[in-house]
């Protein structure tokens, strides 16, 4: 059996299992986001995937509507942009749960390099030079 096929089947099976197990917690998180802030529950972030192809990755929204679309570490006082429950979602990584959708779609896998933001040109250039761009990005990687 092809290892890519086996890995893909593993990703789909585990993703569907996680969806079933986390359905109720996801509904509660969605309601908390909706009640505590204006805007959509899911934030679709443009990311760079395998072979530098862009895709949209969903996350539970942790930032206020209209926040700058840059890496959080580049913001001056990022805590001022967080929703009332945004820091809790980020600290517990619960904001990452919707990325299961990207795994099912085939844009991501469970373990791989984190997908770059569309505007992280230096990171894209470095990853291309090291052939990392040929790897499907992951929900978690070696750095985590």
């Amino acid at each position: 059996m092809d290892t890519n096929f086996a890995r893909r089947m593993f990703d789909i099976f585990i993703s569907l299992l996680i969806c079933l197990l986390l359905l109720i917690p996801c509904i509660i998180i969605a309601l908390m986001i909706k009640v505590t802030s204006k805007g959509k529950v899911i934030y679709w972030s443009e990311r760079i995937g395998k072979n530098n192809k862009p895709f949209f990755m969903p996350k539970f929204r942790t930032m206020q509507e209209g926040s700058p679309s840059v890496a959080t570490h580049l913001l001056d006082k990022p805590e001022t942009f967080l929703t009332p429950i945004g820091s809790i979602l980020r600290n517990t990584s619960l904001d990452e749960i919707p990325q299961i959708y990207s795994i099912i779609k085939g844009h991501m896998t469970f373990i791989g390099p984190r997908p770059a933001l569309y505007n992280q040109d230096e990171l894209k250039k470095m990853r291309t030079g090291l052939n990392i761009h040929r790897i499907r990005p992951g929900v978690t990687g070696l750095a985590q």
Side-chain angles (χ1 to χ4, degrees):
M1 181 184 295
D2 180 23
T3 56
N4 286 332
F5 177 76
R7 184 174 181 171
R8 181 78 183 113
M9 290 300 104
F10 173 81
D11 281 349
I12 290 172
F13 176 76
I14 297 298
S15 295
L16 293 174
L17 183 63
I18 289 172
C19 285
L20 286 173
L21 294 173
L22 295 180
L23 180 63
I24 300 296
C26 284
I27 291 170
I28 293 168
I29 292 168
L31 289 171
M32 290 174 62
I33 292 169
K34 202 65 177 162
V35 168
T36 60
S37 62
K38 294 178 181 175
K40 297 178 179 179
V41 169
I42 300 291
Y43 171 73
W44 292 87
S45 176
E46 187 175 354
R47 299 297 177 121
I48 301 302
K50 186 175 178 179
N51 297 318
N52 289 327
K53 291 183 181 174
F55 71 99
F56 285 92
M57 179 185 79
K59 294 179 83 172
F60 281 123
R61 187 173 52 80
T62 60
M63 305 287 270
Q64 299 289 344
E65 287 285 318
S67 296
S69 185
V70 295
T72 305
H73 71 277
L74 298 176
L75 291 172
D76 185 36
K77 297 185 180 180
E79 64 280 357
T80 61
F81 294 99
L82 288 171
T83 63
I85 66 164
S87 61
I88 295 167
L89 294 176
R90 284 179 171 216
N91 290 337
T92 58
S93 296
L94 293 172
D95 62 322
E96 310 279 346
I97 294 171
Q99 291 177 38
I100 299 290
Y101 172 81
S102 293
I103 294 173
I104 292 169
K105 288 268 301 188
H107 294 143
M108 294 176 70
T109 188
F110 279 102
I111 300 172
R114 289 293 294 153
L117 288 166
Y118 70 94
N119 56 5
Q120 291 180 306
D121 296 325
E122 287 299 314
L123 180 58
K124 288 189 293 189
K125 184 177 177 182
M126 180 198 68
R127 287 182 173 184
T128 300
L130 296 171
N131 287 323
I132 294 171
H133 72 291
R134 294 182 178 175
I135 302 170
R136 190 181 320 269
V139 172
T140 189
L142 295 176
Q144 286 77 33

